[in-house]
Amino acid sequence: MLINAAGGSWEVLKSDIGISAMHMQLMINDRVVMFDRTDFGKSKIDLPNGQCRVDPEEIALKRDCTAHSVEYDVAKNTIRPLMVLTDVWCSSGALSPDGRLIQTGGFNDGDDVVRVFRPCSGCDWEEVGSALARRRWYATNHLLPDGRQIIIGGRAQFNYEFYPKTGSGTQAYNLPFLVETNDKGIENNLYPFVFLNVDGHLFIFANNRAILFDYSKGTVVKTYPEMPDGNPRSYPSTGSAVLLPLKKLPGAVEEAEVLVCGGAPKGSYTSAKSGRFVRALSTCGRIKITDPSPKWVMETMPRARVMGDMLLLPNGDVLIINGASAGSAGWEYGRNPVFNPVLYRPDNEVGSRFEVENPSSIPRMYHSTAILLRDGRVLVGGSNPHQLYEFTGVLFPTELSLEAFSPSYLDSRFANLRPTIISPVSQAKFRYGQQIAVRFTIAGTLKGNSVTVTMVAPSFNTHSFSMNQRLLVLGGGGVKALGKSTYEVGVLAPGSGNLAPSGYYLLFVVHQEIPSEGIWVHIQ
């Protein structure tokens, strides 16, 4: 089913993938790993070859012959069931520099487990028990310049740790900021928004404020002002956030900005528990985190939104998608689905940055997901607002479908402006600071000064936050013709791991805001 119009189009890819896509990660082989939770009861997809998961610690079924994780093959539009052994409910993760998904924590018997998924044909989950120093449930992961992941917070965990463990780095380290931002009985600081700043420190946002944190010394470098309206934006108030595109500025200091949008006002979670569903927040706060005296600049979205997802598109726009306009995160606590995505154009003037896109027809609220695919589409799944799989007799049934949203840059009317990358080839390896010649074709008329090359990190998405998400503008302009419809542009790879932690990225050529299909590149 394809719905076409101006402002993007929607397509239902699979009406039933067997599970609700509560967590999602694009792998470097263009397959997507998804999972929900093992204590959900029977899913709608069986484990292969008569396998069953037997777990005496399990809450729902001690013997479960259905899958709670699947692998989606983007090119073939097919689903393969996977075996996850311990409970991955509300867990976290990121791709390691070698392309493996390192997935951490969860609930019950899974809260201190590390799971590894390799991007290879026929691979399945590998699990390492008791691999974490603390229980990690509702934590956030981020890849660091040295290749480790930092794992921050989680329910009743006001601390952080690193993985993999090395030498003395086997323990957890206190983070008082998480105590300070904890609303008693509500929390509002789970799944904190974490971004690697260009100076190598971590921007950590929880509840309604943020710090710049030197994780190597365990010290706070900077305390940012509180969000002007004072409202919480972290789970369960659940707004979303992105690090806006990083642009290399020759001869100038690197700048970084963070955008935080949506969420639920103070008291929304408590009100929803008592059956009153408060209108979500319609505001965004934008802050230059590298500024000596940073201040929040507030903007108003066209739609109020809680439980929305924010994704960086290859051309540098931000897509705000999924969510509800009332209530809070939590079982049965969301109301009034927001069907229309919204584009945010960060380089436009204030007041002209938002654009409402065409709507889906499927509610995507609590436990929905969205990720960017290599072809420029956005994969959307999930929405399981109930404690078990519930498909009838409820306001919002558990959702097993998978959709793709195609932003308007994929419209056929722009086909002659869309670049096609010739070289480098996919899986190319770069060094920091390397000069890169990118060759591409364009069928139509080239506008040379409107060509840029961008690099996007594949993110781990759950609970309205895309962990490890970042986009770098490598450069552009100075395009030279090599022949009929064939061109070359020279750019520089990022100069350090502070800008781009070692690992895999999607590289795009963007012409007049129309991105090519991406290629996988590896930087170290």
Side-chain angles (χ1 to χ4, degrees):
M1 179 178 66
L2 190 65
I3 307 167
N4 277 309
S9 62
W10 288 86
E11 182 181 6
V12 176
L13 302 172
K14 307 288 284 186
S15 60
D16 184 349
I17 64 170
I19 67 165
S20 190
M22 183 170 156
H23 313 73
M24 199 183 278
Q25 172 74 59
L26 176 66
M27 305 296 289
I28 63 170
N29 57 1
D30 291 326
R31 296 175 186 177
V32 180
V33 173
M34 308 176 215
F35 47 94
D36 49 26
R37 45 187 293 216
T38 61
D39 61 343
F40 228 31
K42 287 185 177 182
S43 75
K44 297 294 186 181
I45 183 169
D46 291 334
L47 287 165
N49 307 317
Q51 295 179 84
C52 297
R53 184 177 57 87
V54 179
D55 184 356
E57 302 298 319
E58 187 53 83
I59 294 171
L61 295 171
K62 310 296 184 189
R63 178 184 172 86
D64 189 351
C65 302
T66 63
H68 293 278
S69 177
V70 299
E71 181 188 63
Y72 173 65
D73 187 316
V74 176
K76 296 179 180 177
N77 194 34
T78 56
I79 291 290
R80 180 171 71 93
L82 303 173
M83 166 78 89
V84 65
L85 296 174
T86 52
D87 200 347
V88 288
W89 179 24
C90 301
S91 53
S92 51
L95 284 192
S96 65
D98 63 6
R100 294 174 301 153
L101 170 57
I102 308 296
Q103 196 277 314
T104 54
F107 179 63
N108 195 20
D109 63 353
D111 59 16
D112 65 354
V113 173
V114 171
R115 303 168 197 86
V116 179
F117 194 89
R118 302 173 189 273
C120 47
S121 180
C123 280
D124 212 329
W125 286 104
E126 305 163 26
E127 305 203 18
V128 185
S130 303
L132 300 176
R134 295 287 189 273
R135 302 173 58 202
R136 298 294 171 190
W137 190 31
Y138 297 87
T140 295
N141 294 26
H142 203 295
L143 190 63
L144 299 173
D146 64 6
R148 294 180 299 166
Q149 289 187 33
I150 189 169
I151 309 165
I152 299 176
R155 182 150 281 173
Q157 298 297 337
F158 309 115
N159 52 65
Y160 62 96
E161 63 182 286
F162 302 96
Y163 190 85
K165 305 298 182 188
T166 55
S168 61
T170 58
Q171 73 265 39
Y173 305 87
N174 289 333
L175 185 54
F177 175 68
L178 294 178
V179 178
E180 297 160 9
T181 53
N182 182 47
D183 290 341
K184 188 176 180 180
I186 301 173
E187 295 167 299
N188 273 333
N189 68 348
L190 300 177
Y191 281 125
F193 306 142
V194 179
F195 302 107
L196 179 68
N197 192 14
V198 294
D199 60 5
H201 300 319
L202 292 173
F203 175 87
I204 305 175
F205 182 102
N207 200 316
N208 56 12
R209 51 196 185 276
I211 57 171
L212 190 63
F213 187 65
D214 183 340
Y215 61 86
S216 63
K217 296 179 179 177
T219 57
V220 175
V221 177
K222 182 183 293 185
T223 299
Y224 293 95
E226 183 179 299
M227 187 81 83
D229 62 11
N231 282 312
R233 309 284 177 150
S234 308
Y235 182 92
S237 284
T238 309
S240 190
V242 292
L243 178 70
L244 290 174
L246 298 175
K247 299 178 180 180
K248 299 190 65 101
L249 305 171
V253 176
E254 293 284 356
E255 295 182 345
E257 290 184 273
V258 167
L259 180 70
V260 179
C261 290
K266 285 182 179 178
S268 295
Y269 179 75
T270 305
S271 293
K273 287 176 73 173
S274 63
R276 291 182 296 108
F277 303 98
V278 177
R279 184 179 183 270
L281 298 170
S282 60
T283 52
C284 295
R286 180 167 166 171
I287 189 168
K288 189 175 291 185
I289 65 175
T290 47
D291 197 274
S293 301
K295 293 181 175 60
W296 290 99
V297 176
M298 303 304 291
E299 301 179 65
T300 302
M301 299 187 290
R303 304 279 192 276
R305 196 180 303 251
V306 61
M307 298 179 286
D309 287 282
M310 294 172 68
L311 294 180
L312 295 167
L313 297 179
N315 62 2
D317 290 345
V318 180
L319 182 70
I320 308 172
I321 198 167
N322 298 336
S325 61
S328 164
W331 304 128
E332 322 287 347
Y333 293 163
R335 291 294 185 276
N336 305 337
V338 181
F339 294 105
N340 294 82
V342 168
L343 273 183
Y344 177 87
R345 293 193 166 90
D347 293 336
N348 284 10
E349 294 295 320
V350 174
S352 61
R353 289 175 173 163
F354 294 98
E355 177 183 293
V356 178
E357 305 301 288
N358 284 320
S360 171
S361 59
I362 300 174
R364 303 283 184 186
M365 300 198 298
Y366 190 42
H367 292 153
S368 297
T369 45
I371 60 166
L372 176 70
L373 297 177
R374 188 167 62 85
D375 60 16
R377 292 178 300 162
V378 172
L379 189 67
V380 178
S383 194
N384 46 6
H386 316 287
Q387 197 159 357
L388 301 171
Y389 290 111
E390 295 186 33
F391 304 105
T392 58
V394 289
L395 190 58
F396 301 107
T398 302
E399 188 56 62
L400 305 184
S401 68
L402 201 60
E403 289 179 287
F405 174 70
S406 294
S408 57
Y409 57 58
L410 292 175
D411 287 359
S412 58
R413 61 196 167 106
F414 298 129
N416 67 330
L417 300 178
R418 186 169 302 124
T420 300
I421 297 175
I422 302 172
S423 67
V425 295
S426 200
Q427 307 290 334
K429 297 186 183 302
F430 300 150
R431 299 181 311 277
Y432 288 116
Q434 178 181 333
Q435 181 77 37
I436 305 165
V438 182
R439 293 187 177 184
F440 59 96
T441 60
I442 289 178
T445 302
L446 174 79
K447 190 176 178 183
N449 61 356
S450 67
V451 171
T452 56
V453 178
T454 62
M455 205 169 85
V456 185
S459 54
F460 179 92
N461 178 267
T462 191
H463 288 77
S464 300
F465 185 56
S466 292
M467 302 176 194
N468 208 50
Q469 183 176 213
R470 68 201 294 113
L471 184 151
L472 299 103
V473 180
L474 303 187
V479 178
K480 61 181 181 181
L482 299 180
K484 186 180 179 182
S485 304
T486 304
Y487 306 92
E488 182 176 284
V489 59
V491 296
L492 280 176
S496 74
N498 289 346
L499 287 177
S502 177
Y504 285 88
Y505 293 78
L506 288 168
L507 184 136
F508 298 88
V509 174
V510 182
H511 174 235
Q512 296 187 56
E513 305 299 318
I514 311 298
S516 66
E517 187 170 279
I519 61 169
W520 286 105
V521 298
H522 187 272
I523 188 166
Q524 62 184 14

